[in-house]
Structure formats: structure tokens, C-alpha cells
Short mmCIF file of all heavy atoms in Angstrom, two decimals:
data_model
loop_
_atom_site.label_atom_id
_atom_site.label_comp_id
_atom_site.label_asym_id
_atom_site.label_seq_id
_atom_site.Cartn_x
_atom_site.Cartn_y
_atom_site.Cartn_z
N TYR A 1 63.91 95.96 45.11
CA TYR A 1 64.37 95.96 46.47
C TYR A 1 63.52 94.93 47.27
O TYR A 1 64.04 94.22 48.00
CB TYR A 1 64.21 97.35 47.07
CG TYR A 1 64.46 97.44 48.57
CD1 TYR A 1 65.79 97.42 49.02
CD2 TYR A 1 63.48 97.43 49.45
CE1 TYR A 1 66.01 97.43 50.41
CE2 TYR A 1 63.67 97.47 50.82
CZ TYR A 1 64.99 97.49 51.27
OH TYR A 1 65.23 97.50 52.59
N ARG A 2 62.23 94.96 46.97
CA ARG A 2 61.35 94.04 47.74
C ARG A 2 61.67 92.56 47.46
O ARG A 2 61.66 91.79 48.31
CB ARG A 2 59.83 94.32 47.37
CG ARG A 2 58.90 93.34 48.11
CD ARG A 2 57.46 93.59 47.72
NE ARG A 2 57.04 94.79 48.38
CZ ARG A 2 55.82 95.33 48.26
NH1 ARG A 2 54.99 94.77 47.47
NH2 ARG A 2 55.50 96.38 48.96
N GLU A 3 61.95 92.27 46.12
CA GLU A 3 62.33 90.92 45.82
C GLU A 3 63.63 90.51 46.46
O GLU A 3 63.79 89.41 46.98
CB GLU A 3 62.44 90.81 44.30
CG GLU A 3 61.16 90.82 43.56
CD GLU A 3 61.23 90.78 42.05
OE1 GLU A 3 62.29 90.25 41.60
OE2 GLU A 3 60.27 91.12 41.38
N GLN A 4 64.61 91.42 46.47
CA GLN A 4 65.84 91.16 47.16
C GLN A 4 65.61 90.90 48.65
O GLN A 4 66.17 89.91 49.23
CB GLN A 4 66.84 92.35 47.00
CG GLN A 4 68.22 92.12 47.64
CD GLN A 4 69.04 93.39 47.61
OE1 GLN A 4 68.52 94.49 47.36
NE2 GLN A 4 70.28 93.26 47.83
N TRP A 5 64.86 91.69 49.27
CA TRP A 5 64.54 91.54 50.67
C TRP A 5 63.87 90.22 50.99
O TRP A 5 64.18 89.54 51.94
CB TRP A 5 63.67 92.71 51.23
CG TRP A 5 63.42 92.66 52.67
CD1 TRP A 5 62.20 92.31 53.27
CD2 TRP A 5 64.28 92.95 53.77
NE1 TRP A 5 62.34 92.44 54.64
CE2 TRP A 5 63.63 92.81 54.94
CE3 TRP A 5 65.59 93.35 53.78
CZ2 TRP A 5 64.18 93.04 56.25
CZ3 TRP A 5 66.19 93.58 55.05
CH2 TRP A 5 65.49 93.35 56.25
N GLN A 6 62.95 89.80 50.19
CA GLN A 6 62.21 88.57 50.36
C GLN A 6 63.13 87.32 50.22
O GLN A 6 62.90 86.28 50.85
CB GLN A 6 61.07 88.40 49.43
CG GLN A 6 59.96 89.42 49.71
CD GLN A 6 58.83 89.34 48.67
OE1 GLN A 6 59.00 88.90 47.58
NE2 GLN A 6 57.68 89.85 49.03
N GLN A 7 64.18 87.42 49.46
CA GLN A 7 65.12 86.35 49.22
C GLN A 7 66.09 86.21 50.31
O GLN A 7 66.73 85.09 50.43
CB GLN A 7 65.85 86.49 47.89
CG GLN A 7 64.93 86.36 46.72
CD GLN A 7 65.69 86.61 45.37
OE1 GLN A 7 66.86 86.77 45.39
NE2 GLN A 7 64.95 86.65 44.25
N ILE A 8 66.23 87.20 51.25
CA ILE A 8 67.16 87.06 52.24
C ILE A 8 66.50 86.42 53.47
O ILE A 8 65.58 86.92 54.04
CB ILE A 8 67.68 88.49 52.68
CG1 ILE A 8 68.43 89.12 51.53
CG2 ILE A 8 68.58 88.40 53.91
CD1 ILE A 8 68.74 90.55 51.74
N GLN A 9 66.98 85.21 53.83
CA GLN A 9 66.48 84.42 54.87
C GLN A 9 67.60 83.95 55.85
O GLN A 9 68.47 83.25 55.39
CB GLN A 9 65.69 83.23 54.40
CG GLN A 9 64.43 83.56 53.58
CD GLN A 9 63.38 84.33 54.48
OE1 GLN A 9 63.24 84.04 55.68
NE2 GLN A 9 62.74 85.29 53.88
N PRO A 10 67.59 84.42 57.04
CA PRO A 10 68.59 83.98 57.99
C PRO A 10 68.51 82.43 58.18
O PRO A 10 67.47 81.84 57.92
CB PRO A 10 68.31 84.64 59.26
CG PRO A 10 67.32 85.79 58.93
CD PRO A 10 66.61 85.33 57.68
N THR A 11 69.55 81.78 58.55
CA THR A 11 69.52 80.39 58.85
C THR A 11 68.81 80.24 60.27
O THR A 11 68.32 79.19 60.61
CB THR A 11 70.88 79.74 58.89
OG1 THR A 11 71.74 80.34 59.84
CG2 THR A 11 71.54 79.82 57.52
N LEU A 12 68.92 81.22 61.08
CA LEU A 12 68.24 81.24 62.41
C LEU A 12 66.83 81.50 62.28
O LEU A 12 66.40 82.30 61.47
CB LEU A 12 68.94 82.19 63.33
CG LEU A 12 70.45 82.05 63.56
CD1 LEU A 12 70.94 83.06 64.57
CD2 LEU A 12 70.73 80.66 64.10
N ASP A 13 66.04 80.92 63.17
CA ASP A 13 64.59 81.24 63.32
C ASP A 13 64.24 81.28 64.77
O ASP A 13 65.22 81.21 65.63
CB ASP A 13 63.76 80.19 62.53
CG ASP A 13 63.92 78.74 63.02
OD1 ASP A 13 64.58 78.55 64.12
OD2 ASP A 13 63.44 77.81 62.42
N GLY A 14 62.94 81.40 65.08
CA GLY A 14 62.59 81.48 66.51
C GLY A 14 62.98 80.27 67.30
O GLY A 14 63.35 80.38 68.46
N HIS A 15 62.94 79.09 66.72
CA HIS A 15 63.38 77.86 67.42
C HIS A 15 64.90 77.97 67.78
O HIS A 15 65.24 77.60 68.86
CB HIS A 15 63.15 76.60 66.55
CG HIS A 15 61.68 76.37 66.28
ND1 HIS A 15 60.79 76.02 67.28
CD2 HIS A 15 60.99 76.48 65.13
CE1 HIS A 15 59.57 75.92 66.71
NE2 HIS A 15 59.64 76.19 65.43
N ALA A 16 65.68 78.48 66.84
CA ALA A 16 67.13 78.57 67.09
C ALA A 16 67.39 79.67 68.13
O ALA A 16 68.25 79.38 68.99
CB ALA A 16 67.83 78.98 65.82
N LEU A 17 66.62 80.75 68.15
CA LEU A 17 66.80 81.79 69.16
C LEU A 17 66.49 81.20 70.58
O LEU A 17 67.19 81.43 71.49
CB LEU A 17 65.90 82.99 68.87
CG LEU A 17 66.21 83.74 67.57
CD1 LEU A 17 65.22 84.89 67.42
CD2 LEU A 17 67.63 84.17 67.52
N ARG A 18 65.44 80.41 70.60
CA ARG A 18 65.06 79.80 71.88
C ARG A 18 66.14 78.79 72.37
O ARG A 18 66.43 78.79 73.56
CB ARG A 18 63.73 79.10 71.79
CG ARG A 18 63.19 78.58 73.09
CD ARG A 18 61.77 78.18 72.94
NE ARG A 18 61.23 77.80 74.30
CZ ARG A 18 60.36 76.80 74.46
NH1 ARG A 18 59.82 76.26 73.41
NH2 ARG A 18 59.96 76.49 75.65
N ALA A 19 66.66 78.04 71.42
CA ALA A 19 67.77 77.10 71.76
C ALA A 19 69.02 77.83 72.25
O ALA A 19 69.80 77.30 73.05
CB ALA A 19 68.13 76.22 70.52
N LEU A 20 69.16 79.08 71.76
CA LEU A 20 70.35 79.87 72.25
C LEU A 20 70.06 80.50 73.65
O LEU A 20 70.95 81.26 74.18
CB LEU A 20 70.66 80.97 71.24
CG LEU A 20 71.16 80.50 69.92
CD1 LEU A 20 71.20 81.70 68.91
CD2 LEU A 20 72.61 79.92 70.11
N GLY A 21 68.84 80.28 74.17
CA GLY A 21 68.53 80.76 75.49
C GLY A 21 67.90 82.18 75.51
O GLY A 21 67.77 82.78 76.64
N ILE A 22 67.45 82.59 74.36
CA ILE A 22 66.80 83.92 74.33
C ILE A 22 65.32 83.66 74.59
O ILE A 22 64.63 83.00 73.88
CB ILE A 22 67.01 84.56 72.93
CG1 ILE A 22 68.56 84.81 72.69
CG2 ILE A 22 66.26 85.92 72.80
CD1 ILE A 22 68.88 85.17 71.26
N PRO A 23 64.75 84.36 75.64
CA PRO A 23 63.37 84.17 75.96
C PRO A 23 62.45 84.57 74.82
O PRO A 23 62.73 85.58 74.16
CB PRO A 23 63.15 85.02 77.20
CG PRO A 23 64.53 85.37 77.76
CD PRO A 23 65.42 85.30 76.56
N ARG A 24 61.39 83.84 74.66
CA ARG A 24 60.42 84.17 73.57
C ARG A 24 59.72 85.59 73.85
O ARG A 24 59.54 85.89 75.01
CB ARG A 24 59.29 83.11 73.47
CG ARG A 24 59.85 81.88 72.80
CD ARG A 24 58.64 80.96 72.53
NE ARG A 24 58.37 80.18 73.77
CZ ARG A 24 57.49 79.29 73.86
NH1 ARG A 24 56.77 78.93 72.80
NH2 ARG A 24 57.24 78.67 75.02
N GLY A 25 59.37 86.21 72.77
CA GLY A 25 58.68 87.49 72.89
C GLY A 25 58.92 88.44 71.76
O GLY A 25 59.55 87.97 70.73
N PRO A 26 58.54 89.62 71.84
CA PRO A 26 58.63 90.59 70.77
C PRO A 26 60.09 90.82 70.33
O PRO A 26 60.29 91.25 69.19
CB PRO A 26 58.07 91.89 71.31
CG PRO A 26 57.19 91.44 72.52
CD PRO A 26 57.81 90.20 72.97
N ILE A 27 61.05 90.48 71.20
CA ILE A 27 62.46 90.66 70.86
C ILE A 27 62.79 89.82 69.62
O ILE A 27 63.70 90.20 68.86
CB ILE A 27 63.38 90.33 72.04
CG1 ILE A 27 64.83 90.75 71.74
CG2 ILE A 27 63.34 88.90 72.35
CD1 ILE A 27 65.71 90.62 72.96
N TYR A 28 62.13 88.69 69.41
CA TYR A 28 62.44 87.87 68.25
C TYR A 28 62.26 88.65 66.92
O TYR A 28 63.08 88.48 65.97
CB TYR A 28 61.52 86.63 68.22
CG TYR A 28 61.97 85.50 69.15
CD1 TYR A 28 62.75 85.76 70.28
CD2 TYR A 28 61.62 84.21 68.90
CE1 TYR A 28 63.10 84.70 71.14
CE2 TYR A 28 62.01 83.16 69.68
CZ TYR A 28 62.79 83.43 70.82
OH TYR A 28 63.13 82.41 71.65
N ARG A 29 61.22 89.45 66.86
CA ARG A 29 60.96 90.19 65.63
C ARG A 29 62.11 91.21 65.37
O ARG A 29 62.55 91.40 64.32
CB ARG A 29 59.66 90.90 65.71
CG ARG A 29 59.34 91.80 64.47
CD ARG A 29 57.98 92.39 64.57
NE ARG A 29 57.00 91.36 64.45
CZ ARG A 29 55.87 91.41 63.88
NH1 ARG A 29 55.51 92.57 63.28
NH2 ARG A 29 54.99 90.47 63.82
N VAL A 30 62.52 91.84 66.45
CA VAL A 30 63.59 92.82 66.39
C VAL A 30 64.94 92.06 65.93
O VAL A 30 65.59 92.56 65.05
CB VAL A 30 63.82 93.54 67.74
CG1 VAL A 30 65.06 94.43 67.70
CG2 VAL A 30 62.54 94.36 68.08
N LEU A 31 65.25 90.97 66.64
CA LEU A 31 66.42 90.29 66.30
C LEU A 31 66.52 89.83 64.89
O LEU A 31 67.49 89.96 64.20
CB LEU A 31 66.61 89.12 67.30
CG LEU A 31 66.86 89.48 68.73
CD1 LEU A 31 66.92 88.21 69.58
CD2 LEU A 31 68.16 90.23 68.91
N LEU A 32 65.40 89.11 64.49
CA LEU A 32 65.38 88.50 63.11
C LEU A 32 65.35 89.66 62.00
O LEU A 32 65.97 89.46 61.01
CB LEU A 32 64.24 87.58 62.95
CG LEU A 32 64.36 86.34 63.86
CD1 LEU A 32 63.09 85.48 63.83
CD2 LEU A 32 65.59 85.53 63.50
N GLY A 33 64.64 90.70 62.30
CA GLY A 33 64.61 91.85 61.31
C GLY A 33 65.96 92.50 61.19
O GLY A 33 66.39 92.76 60.08
N THR A 34 66.64 92.77 62.26
CA THR A 34 67.96 93.34 62.27
C THR A 34 68.91 92.38 61.63
O THR A 34 69.78 92.81 60.93
CB THR A 34 68.38 93.76 63.69
OG1 THR A 34 67.39 94.57 64.26
CG2 THR A 34 69.69 94.50 63.68
N LEU A 35 68.77 91.13 61.95
CA LEU A 35 69.70 90.11 61.33
C LEU A 35 69.51 90.13 59.81
O LEU A 35 70.51 90.03 59.07
CB LEU A 35 69.34 88.68 61.88
CG LEU A 35 70.13 87.55 61.36
CD1 LEU A 35 71.58 87.75 61.55
CD2 LEU A 35 69.65 86.26 62.00
N ARG A 36 68.25 90.18 59.31
CA ARG A 36 68.04 90.16 57.85
C ARG A 36 68.73 91.41 57.23
O ARG A 36 69.30 91.31 56.14
CB ARG A 36 66.52 90.18 57.55
CG ARG A 36 65.94 88.83 57.69
CD ARG A 36 64.47 88.85 57.36
NE ARG A 36 64.27 88.94 55.91
CZ ARG A 36 63.09 89.17 55.37
NH1 ARG A 36 62.02 89.32 56.09
NH2 ARG A 36 63.00 89.29 53.99
N ALA A 37 68.63 92.54 57.84
CA ALA A 37 69.20 93.76 57.34
C ALA A 37 70.75 93.61 57.28
O ALA A 37 71.36 94.02 56.33
CB ALA A 37 68.82 94.98 58.21
N ALA A 38 71.36 92.99 58.31
CA ALA A 38 72.76 92.79 58.38
C ALA A 38 73.20 91.82 57.24
O ALA A 38 74.24 92.03 56.63
CB ALA A 38 73.22 92.27 59.74
N LEU A 39 72.38 90.78 57.00
CA LEU A 39 72.68 89.87 55.91
C LEU A 39 72.64 90.61 54.57
O LEU A 39 73.49 90.43 53.70
CB LEU A 39 71.70 88.70 55.88
CG LEU A 39 71.89 87.66 56.98
CD1 LEU A 39 70.72 86.78 57.17
CD2 LEU A 39 73.14 86.82 56.66
N ARG A 40 71.60 91.40 54.40
CA ARG A 40 71.37 92.14 53.20
C ARG A 40 72.62 93.09 52.88
O ARG A 40 73.06 93.18 51.76
CB ARG A 40 70.10 92.94 53.22
CG ARG A 40 69.87 93.81 52.01
CD ARG A 40 68.85 95.01 52.24
NE ARG A 40 69.48 95.89 53.22
CZ ARG A 40 68.77 96.52 54.12
NH1 ARG A 40 67.44 96.36 54.23
NH2 ARG A 40 69.33 97.30 54.97
N ASP A 41 73.11 93.71 53.98
CA ASP A 41 74.22 94.64 53.83
C ASP A 41 75.53 93.95 53.78
O ASP A 41 76.56 94.67 53.64
CB ASP A 41 74.14 95.58 55.03
CG ASP A 41 72.93 96.47 54.97
OD1 ASP A 41 72.29 96.58 53.94
OD2 ASP A 41 72.62 97.03 56.02
N GLY A 42 75.58 92.65 53.88
CA GLY A 42 76.85 91.94 53.77
C GLY A 42 77.71 91.94 55.04
O GLY A 42 78.86 91.52 55.00
N GLU A 43 77.14 92.36 56.15
CA GLU A 43 77.82 92.44 57.40
C GLU A 43 78.02 90.99 58.01
O GLU A 43 78.90 90.77 58.83
CB GLU A 43 77.14 93.23 58.45
CG GLU A 43 76.92 94.71 58.02
CD GLU A 43 76.05 95.46 58.97
OE1 GLU A 43 75.96 95.09 60.19
OE2 GLU A 43 75.47 96.47 58.55
N ILE A 44 77.14 90.04 57.57
CA ILE A 44 77.16 88.74 58.09
C ILE A 44 77.15 87.77 56.96
O ILE A 44 76.40 87.98 55.97
CB ILE A 44 75.91 88.50 58.97
CG1 ILE A 44 75.95 89.36 60.21
CG2 ILE A 44 75.75 87.01 59.40
CD1 ILE A 44 74.71 89.32 61.06
N THR A 45 77.98 86.69 57.03
CA THR A 45 78.03 85.79 55.88
C THR A 45 77.88 84.31 56.37
O THR A 45 77.63 83.49 55.45
CB THR A 45 79.38 85.90 55.11
OG1 THR A 45 80.50 85.76 56.05
CG2 THR A 45 79.47 87.29 54.48
N THR A 46 78.08 83.99 57.59
CA THR A 46 78.01 82.60 58.06
C THR A 46 77.00 82.42 59.18
O THR A 46 76.53 83.43 59.81
CB THR A 46 79.34 82.08 58.51
OG1 THR A 46 79.69 82.77 59.73
CG2 THR A 46 80.44 82.30 57.47
N ARG A 47 76.59 81.17 59.36
CA ARG A 47 75.73 80.95 60.51
C ARG A 47 76.39 81.27 61.86
O ARG A 47 75.71 81.85 62.74
CB ARG A 47 75.33 79.43 60.57
CG ARG A 47 74.41 79.06 61.63
CD ARG A 47 73.93 77.60 61.59
NE ARG A 47 73.10 77.22 62.71
CZ ARG A 47 71.81 77.36 62.81
NH1 ARG A 47 71.09 77.89 61.83
NH2 ARG A 47 71.15 77.00 63.92
N ALA A 48 77.63 81.10 61.92
CA ALA A 48 78.35 81.44 63.19
C ALA A 48 78.26 82.98 63.35
O ALA A 48 78.14 83.44 64.55
CB ALA A 48 79.77 80.99 63.12
N ASP A 49 78.39 83.76 62.30
CA ASP A 49 78.28 85.19 62.37
C ASP A 49 76.83 85.56 62.82
O ASP A 49 76.62 86.44 63.62
CB ASP A 49 78.48 85.86 60.95
CG ASP A 49 79.88 85.79 60.54
OD1 ASP A 49 80.81 85.54 61.38
OD2 ASP A 49 80.12 86.05 59.28
N GLU A 50 75.83 84.80 62.31
CA GLU A 50 74.46 85.08 62.71
C GLU A 50 74.30 84.89 64.23
O GLU A 50 73.62 85.66 64.88
CB GLU A 50 73.48 84.18 61.97
CG GLU A 50 73.33 84.51 60.50
CD GLU A 50 72.23 83.67 59.81
OE1 GLU A 50 71.33 83.15 60.51
OE2 GLU A 50 72.38 83.51 58.57
N ILE A 51 74.83 83.78 64.74
CA ILE A 51 74.66 83.44 66.17
C ILE A 51 75.35 84.56 66.99
O ILE A 51 74.74 85.03 67.96
CB ILE A 51 75.21 82.05 66.44
CG1 ILE A 51 74.35 80.99 65.78
CG2 ILE A 51 75.39 81.83 67.98
CD1 ILE A 51 74.93 79.63 65.79
N ALA A 52 76.55 84.87 66.66
CA ALA A 52 77.32 85.92 67.39
C ALA A 52 76.52 87.17 67.38
O ALA A 52 76.41 87.92 68.38
CB ALA A 52 78.67 86.08 66.84
N PHE A 53 75.99 87.59 66.21
CA PHE A 53 75.23 88.81 66.06
C PHE A 53 74.02 88.88 66.88
O PHE A 53 73.78 89.84 67.65
CB PHE A 53 74.86 88.93 64.55
CG PHE A 53 74.13 90.31 64.19
CD1 PHE A 53 74.81 91.46 63.92
CD2 PHE A 53 72.76 90.29 64.18
CE1 PHE A 53 74.20 92.60 63.65
CE2 PHE A 53 72.09 91.46 63.88
CZ PHE A 53 72.81 92.66 63.60
N VAL A 54 73.18 87.85 66.88
CA VAL A 54 71.95 87.86 67.66
C VAL A 54 72.23 87.79 69.16
O VAL A 54 71.52 88.42 69.95
CB VAL A 54 70.93 86.76 67.26
CG1 VAL A 54 70.46 87.00 65.83
CG2 VAL A 54 71.41 85.39 67.51
N LEU A 55 73.23 87.04 69.55
CA LEU A 55 73.62 87.02 71.00
C LEU A 55 74.04 88.38 71.44
O LEU A 55 73.66 88.89 72.54
CB LEU A 55 74.64 85.99 71.25
CG LEU A 55 74.17 84.51 71.14
CD1 LEU A 55 75.27 83.55 71.30
CD2 LEU A 55 73.05 84.21 72.18
N ARG A 56 74.88 89.00 70.69
CA ARG A 56 75.35 90.39 71.06
C ARG A 56 74.18 91.41 71.07
O ARG A 56 74.03 92.16 72.05
CB ARG A 56 76.40 90.81 70.08
CG ARG A 56 76.95 92.25 70.37
CD ARG A 56 78.00 92.71 69.40
NE ARG A 56 77.56 92.69 68.02
CZ ARG A 56 76.64 93.59 67.41
NH1 ARG A 56 76.20 94.61 68.14
NH2 ARG A 56 76.35 93.49 66.18
N LEU A 57 73.33 91.34 70.05
CA LEU A 57 72.21 92.30 70.01
C LEU A 57 71.22 92.00 71.17
O LEU A 57 70.74 92.93 71.82
CB LEU A 57 71.55 92.11 68.65
CG LEU A 57 70.33 93.12 68.38
CD1 LEU A 57 70.82 94.58 68.59
CD2 LEU A 57 69.81 92.91 67.00
N ALA A 58 70.96 90.69 71.41
CA ALA A 58 70.06 90.42 72.58
C ALA A 58 70.59 90.88 73.85
O ALA A 58 69.92 91.42 74.67
CB ALA A 58 69.82 88.88 72.65
N GLY A 59 71.93 90.75 74.06
CA GLY A 59 72.56 91.26 75.21
C GLY A 59 72.44 92.79 75.36
O GLY A 59 72.15 93.30 76.44
N GLU A 60 72.63 93.47 74.25
CA GLU A 60 72.55 94.91 74.27
C GLU A 60 71.12 95.38 74.59
O GLU A 60 70.87 96.28 75.39
CB GLU A 60 72.95 95.49 72.94
CG GLU A 60 74.37 95.37 72.63
CD GLU A 60 74.74 95.84 71.17
OE1 GLU A 60 73.84 96.23 70.43
OE2 GLU A 60 75.93 95.66 70.84
N ILE A 61 70.09 94.66 74.02
CA ILE A 61 68.66 94.95 74.30
C ILE A 61 68.33 94.71 75.74
O ILE A 61 67.69 95.50 76.40
CB ILE A 61 67.78 94.21 73.32
CG1 ILE A 61 67.95 94.72 71.90
CG2 ILE A 61 66.33 94.27 73.70
CD1 ILE A 61 67.30 93.83 70.83
N ALA A 62 68.85 93.57 76.25
CA ALA A 62 68.53 93.26 77.63
C ALA A 62 69.17 94.29 78.61
O ALA A 62 68.66 94.72 79.61
CB ALA A 62 69.12 91.86 78.01
N ALA A 63 70.39 94.71 78.33
CA ALA A 63 71.10 95.69 79.10
C ALA A 63 70.33 97.02 79.07
O ALA A 63 70.19 97.71 80.10
CB ALA A 63 72.54 95.83 78.65
N GLN A 64 69.87 97.43 77.90
CA GLN A 64 69.10 98.66 77.80
C GLN A 64 67.83 98.62 78.57
O GLN A 64 67.42 99.53 79.26
CB GLN A 64 68.85 99.01 76.30
CG GLN A 64 68.12 100.31 76.11
CD GLN A 64 68.89 101.47 76.62
OE1 GLN A 64 70.07 101.64 76.39
NE2 GLN A 64 68.21 102.39 77.36
N SER A 65 67.20 97.42 78.44
CA SER A 65 65.88 97.24 79.17
C SER A 65 66.12 97.30 80.70
O SER A 65 65.32 97.95 81.39
CB SER A 65 65.31 95.90 78.77
OG SER A 65 64.13 95.64 79.45
N ALA A 66 67.18 96.67 81.13
CA ALA A 66 67.51 96.76 82.62
C ALA A 66 67.80 98.10 83.03
O ALA A 66 67.37 98.58 84.10
CB ALA A 66 68.67 95.81 82.88
N ALA A 67 68.51 98.90 82.25
CA ALA A 67 68.84 100.30 82.52
C ALA A 67 67.58 101.12 82.61
O ALA A 67 67.35 101.97 83.48
CB ALA A 67 69.85 100.85 81.51
N ASP A 68 66.64 100.87 81.65
CA ASP A 68 65.37 101.60 81.63
C ASP A 68 64.56 101.30 82.86
O ASP A 68 63.94 102.13 83.39
CB ASP A 68 64.59 101.27 80.32
CG ASP A 68 65.24 101.83 79.05
OD1 ASP A 68 66.16 102.71 79.15
OD2 ASP A 68 64.91 101.46 77.95
N ASN A 69 64.51 99.98 83.20
CA ASN A 69 63.77 99.56 84.38
C ASN A 69 64.25 100.15 85.66
O ASN A 69 63.57 100.39 86.62
CB ASN A 69 63.68 98.02 84.48
CG ASN A 69 62.78 97.46 83.40
OD1 ASN A 69 61.94 98.18 82.79
ND2 ASN A 69 62.99 96.22 83.03
N SER A 70 65.61 100.31 85.78
CA SER A 70 66.18 100.84 87.02
C SER A 70 65.90 102.37 87.17
O SER A 70 65.91 102.91 88.32
CB SER A 70 67.70 100.61 87.00
OG SER A 70 68.40 101.41 86.10
N LYS A 71 65.58 103.00 86.05
CA LYS A 71 65.25 104.46 86.11
C LYS A 71 63.83 104.64 86.51
O LYS A 71 63.49 105.72 87.05
CB LYS A 71 65.45 105.11 84.74
CG LYS A 71 66.85 105.15 84.31
CD LYS A 71 67.03 105.78 82.92
CE LYS A 71 68.45 105.71 82.49
NZ LYS A 71 68.58 106.24 81.11
N ALA A 72 62.96 103.67 86.37
CA ALA A 72 61.54 103.85 86.71
C ALA A 72 61.28 103.66 88.14
O ALA A 72 61.97 103.30 88.99
CB ALA A 72 60.76 102.71 85.90
#
């Protein structure tokens, strides 16, 4: 399992996330880790899928964060 996990590398990296307009920070680790898991599970097969996935996930995280902040 560990060897399989190490071989899974998204085409996106931190530079690509920044180019997509995602602000730098701890969210990168969450996005890239979740992306790797989706690649491993076969949910994503193309770079376009990767981009759509991280943009959707980043939006969901931002919305959750905004909702959490409005409760405080």
C-alpha cells in the first residue's frame, strides 16, 4: 500500500494551486492529500479532473470556513 501511495503524484502542485487563485496556506496540504486519495481511488483520471476537483474542494472549504467564522 505504501509503495502504491508513493507512486501516486498529482500533476498539480503548490505552484499550480497558486496559479488557480487559491491562497497559500495549510489548505494546500488538505487539497493535495485529498487529490492524491481521489487519484488512488480512480475518481480522477485527467489534469482537467484534478483542476475541477481542487477548485470545488477549495470552494467547499472556504464556504465552511466562512460559515464557521460567522458563528463566532
Side-chain angles (χ1 to χ4, degrees):
Y1 174 79
R2 179 181 283 179
E3 289 178 19
Q4 179 187 19
W5 183 254
Q6 289 174 341
Q7 293 177 6
I8 297 171
Q9 294 297 323
T11 61
L12 300 181
D13 59 11
H15 297 290
L17 296 180
R18 188 168 182 213
L20 290 170
I22 301 169
R24 286 189 279 184
I27 190 173
Y28 280 25
R29 180 177 292 217
V30 173
L31 293 174
L32 294 173
T34 307
L35 177 58
R36 283 180 75 188
L39 285 164
R40 179 199 63 216
D41 295 342
E43 297 174 27
I44 295 174
T45 57
T46 67
R47 182 176 174 87
D49 290 343
E50 288 185 26
I51 292 169
F53 182 85
V54 298
L55 289 174
R56 180 181 53 79
L57 185 57
E60 290 172 4
I61 292 170
Q64 182 61 47
S65 178
D68 291 345
N69 288 339
S70 69
K71 293 178 185 177

